[in-house]
Amino acid sequence: MMIDGVFRGNPKQVKEYQDLLSPVLHQTTEGYPVVPKYYYVPADFVEYEKRNPGSQKRFPSNCGRDGKLFLWGQALYVIAKLLADELVSPRDLDPAQRYIPPQEQRNVSMRFSNQLGKERKCLHGPKSQIYPQAQE
């Protein structure tokens, strides 16, 4: 939702989801934030959790601490942070330009491609002669 907020130009949404995400991240031994793959309730407390959902503390998976990362979640987090910190723009990540307003889209000149097409037709098209050449 952070990425969505950046693409829609909604800084309030970006801030809201940054604040929600910060407490659920855990740190590596080097101090880098890591997105856990899942959270779990310890086996001893599962029965209590079944009786009263949401009552038991959840613990993050060991992903990241054991040297193995949940790459999908980590990649989305890194992209979201790059966008939120304005180190990367939506234009850099949207090659189809679906989220870029038409007035900001690049205007690509078609002159070169049209000229290239004419040259290809001359090189590979049907051979023809003009009237004086045919009489020689």
Side-chain angles (χ1 to χ4, degrees), residues 63-84:
C63 279
R65 294 186 187 140
D66 58 2
K68 299 175 186 173
L69 292 174
F70 172 47
L71 291 179
W72 179 252
Q74 196 66 28
L76 286 175
Y77 174 73
V78 169
I79 290 169
K81 282 296 287 176
L82 289 171
L83 285 166

Side-chain angles (χ1 to χ4, degrees), residues 26-30 32-38 60-75:
H26 61 268
Q27 305 293 322
T28 63
T29 54
E30 294 86 19
Y32 298 111
V34 175
V35 178
K37 187 172 187 175
Y38 56 87
S61 65
N62 204 26
C63 279
R65 294 186 187 140
D66 58 2
K68 299 175 186 173
L69 292 174
F70 172 47
L71 291 179
W72 179 252
Q74 196 66 28

Side-chain angles (χ1 to χ4, degrees), residues 126-136:
K127 297 199 184 245
S128 61
Q129 298 174 336
I130 57 174
Y131 182 73
Q133 289 175 334
Q135 296 207 354
E136 291 178 359

